[in-house]
């Protein structure tokens, strides 16, 4: 029996640890409320900003986005390529502007997510619905299964990188500075913008929007889209999420071949992927090497599927989705 198939035979699981039991993560609820309140203030201040500040806020979307996609995701979480110290230093700065927790903590949660996708040990288990996978998981205490999985895995390679260690030691103060204060200082120093205008628009509003774009990978790209590479898995090919998350929505491929630096099958001409373009550009100037791809593995997988199809063996049935599951029973 295929292991992944065995996993989905157990669905639906008993959800044992959620908000109804009062397991609220109050510090995070207060922080996320602050993030959204300051973003609303930012939205009200957009009309008062100079064009330079609006361009700066817009540019901080891919800049901070690359800190997540190119940096903590494809480099540190998955080791899908190797990078020069200069690039790693730049990516640490970009990652801090994105302010999504330290590289160490983000990569730890993400490796647990890949290893235990759609189980109780998955930090943002999408079988618990869109809101939980999107941001609800941050608002409750971690499921004990997630904590246990994190304790049992080895993350020593992350701390072997001095840049990751330094950023972890400065967490959260450096990230809060780079996310909120630095954009305001740059705008007021270089083009005379009011500090608080840039603080709220290029800082708070841009931060909140990019946060939701990242969260869409865990929610929308785990629930909506095609499954050409692994019909049994939840992660899906979602072009809209790819636009938002600078190339990170090709998620069925990514979960099948997480070591692929492109996180997608095709080139950038047919699949929007500025993160891949950035890694390729860095490779062209010698800052990146040893880019891994899943293409050879997929050629074998596709050939096997074609042989099965020719022999009349049907594809396995996709697992039930949350809206197909009611009261602990799958609706047939
Ligand atoms: Zn995922
Ligand atoms: Zn990943």
């Amino acid at each position: 029996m295929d292991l992944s198939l065995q996993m989905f035979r157990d669905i639906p699981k008993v959800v044992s640890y959620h908000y109804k039991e009062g397991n609220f993560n109050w510090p995070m609820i207060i922080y996320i409320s602050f993030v959204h309140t300051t973003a609303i203030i930012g939205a009200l201040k957009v009309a008062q900003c100079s064009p330079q500040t609006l361009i700066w806020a817009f540019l901080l979307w891919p800049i901070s986005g690359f800190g997540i996609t190119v940096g903590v995701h494809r480099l540190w979480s998955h080791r899908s390529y190797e990078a020069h110290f200069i690039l790693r230093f730049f990516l640490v700065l970009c990652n801090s502007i994105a302010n999504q927790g330290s590289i160490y903590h983000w990569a730890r949660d993400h490796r647990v997510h890949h290893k235990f996708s759609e189980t109780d040990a998955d930090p943002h288990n999408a079988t618990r619905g869109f809101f939980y996978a999107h941001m609800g998981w941050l608002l409750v205490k971690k499921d004990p299964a997630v904590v246990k999985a994190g304790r049992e895995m080895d993350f020593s390679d992350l701390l072997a990188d001095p840049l990751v260690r330094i950023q972890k030691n400065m967490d959260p103060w450096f990230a809060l500075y780079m996310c909120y204060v630095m954009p305001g200082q740059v705008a007021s120093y270089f083009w005379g913008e009011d500090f608080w205008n840039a603080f709220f628009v290029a800082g708070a509003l841009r931060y909140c929007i990019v946060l939701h774009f990242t969260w869409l990978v865990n929610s929308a790209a785990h629930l909506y889209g095609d499954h050409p590479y692994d019909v049994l898995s939840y992660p899906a090919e979602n072009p809209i999420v790819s636009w938002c998350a600078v190339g990170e929505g090709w998620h069925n491929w990514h979960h099948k071949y997480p070591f692929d630096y492109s996180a997608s099958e095709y080139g950038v001409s047919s699949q929007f992927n500025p993160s891949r373009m950035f890694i390729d550009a860095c490779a062209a100037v010698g800052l990146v090497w040893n880019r891994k791809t899943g293409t050879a593995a997929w050629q074998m997988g596709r050939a096997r599927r074609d042989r099965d199809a020719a022999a009349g063996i049907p594809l396995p049935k996709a697992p039930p989705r949350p809206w197909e599951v009611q009261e602990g029973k799958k609706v047939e």
Side-chain angles (χ1 to χ4, degrees):
M1 168 68 68
D2 182 302
L3 254 185
S4 54
L5 190 58
Q6 179 65 50
M7 185 177 91
F8 284 115
R9 291 182 102 210
D10 297 335
I11 286 177
K13 293 181 167 50
V14 177
V15 175
S16 58
Y17 208 76
H18 58 53
Y19 65 92
K20 284 180 184 161
E21 289 161 10
N23 292 308
F24 294 113
N25 181 348
W26 283 109
M28 192 53 102
I29 290 171
I30 292 165
Y31 177 69
I32 296 286
S33 303
F34 166 82
V35 166
H36 286 80
T37 307
T38 51
I40 290 167
I41 297 171
L44 297 172
K45 281 180 171 283
V46 166
Q48 300 167 24
C49 288
S50 66
Q52 295 97 314
T53 302
L54 297 179
I55 292 168
W56 173 228
F58 181 83
L59 289 177
L60 283 173
W61 163 30
I63 290 171
S64 64
F66 287 163
I68 299 300
T69 60
V70 178
V72 68
H73 188 219
R74 300 187 194 182
L75 176 63
W76 280 292
S77 297
H78 293 302
R79 302 284 181 198
S80 66
Y81 67 95
E82 289 174 61
H84 191 279
F85 181 87
I86 293 170
L87 177 61
R88 297 201 326 270
F89 182 75
F90 174 72
L91 289 171
V92 167
L93 297 181
C94 294
N95 182 270
S96 298
I97 299 170
N99 191 17
Q100 296 186 5
S102 74
I103 288 168
Y104 176 81
H105 292 107
W106 201 107
R108 181 195 63 189
D109 282 354
H110 192 69
R111 287 182 186 176
V112 171
H113 164 64
H114 270 266
K115 189 167 182 195
F116 298 101
S117 292
E118 276 73 60
T119 70
D120 285 344
D122 180 350
H124 26 82
N125 176 5
T127 68
R128 292 175 67 169
F130 185 96
F131 182 76
Y132 183 84
H134 192 73
M135 60 188 290
W137 64 284
L138 291 162
L139 308 178
V140 291
K141 289 176 188 155
K142 276 190 174 161
D143 191 297
V146 176
V147 177
K148 184 167 177 283
R151 286 208 181 112
E152 288 172 358
M153 289 170 68
D154 179 22
F155 306 102
S156 53
D157 64 299
L158 295 168
L159 294 178
D161 187 333
L163 289 168
V164 174
R165 278 203 310 275
I166 292 167
Q167 195 219 28
K168 181 171 178 282
N169 291 338
M170 293 194 299
D171 188 56
W173 309 112
F174 183 65
L176 285 169
Y177 167 76
M178 290 296 280
C179 173
Y180 283 102
V181 181
M182 182 279 292
Q185 287 178 325
V186 167
S188 63
Y189 182 81
F190 286 104
W191 55 89
E193 178 64 88
D194 175 74
F195 171 82
W196 291 107
N197 277 354
F199 175 96
F200 282 110
V201 175
L205 178 60
R206 178 270 318 161
Y207 170 47
C208 188
I209 291 171
V210 176
L211 260 187
H212 280 279
F213 284 170
T214 304
W215 292 340
L216 281 173
V217 179
N218 300 328
S219 54
H222 265 256
L223 294 171
Y224 311 120
D226 298 330
H227 303 82
Y229 310 108
D230 184 358
V231 73
L232 286 175
S233 77
Y234 267 64
E237 301 286 284
N238 191 312
I240 296 169
V241 174
S242 282
W243 276 96
C244 297
V246 288
E248 213 71 285
W250 314 110
H251 215 50
N252 191 249
W253 172 273
H254 175 60
H255 271 259
K256 186 74 178 168
Y257 306 111
F259 54 84
D260 185 303
Y261 85 97
S262 169
S264 63
E265 180 186 5
Y266 301 109
V268 291
S269 57
S270 53
Q271 285 183 311
F272 184 75
N273 201 336
S275 299
R276 175 189 174 138
M277 286 172 75
F278 182 79
I279 297 171
D280 288 341
C282 291
V285 294
L287 291 172
V288 158
W289 57 92
N290 196 16
R291 286 165 291 171
K292 303 184 186 89
T293 78
T295 314
W298 168 233
Q299 273 168 0
M300 289 197 298
R302 187 166 50 192
R304 191 166 54 239
R305 183 177 298 183
D306 290 348
R307 275 200 306 276
D308 285 354
I313 301 170
L315 276 175
K317 216 166 164 283
R321 299 306 195 236
W323 52 86
E324 296 174 318
V325 177
Q326 277 179 357
E327 303 286 323
K329 284 197 170 128
K330 188 189 167 203
V331 178
E332 296 294 344

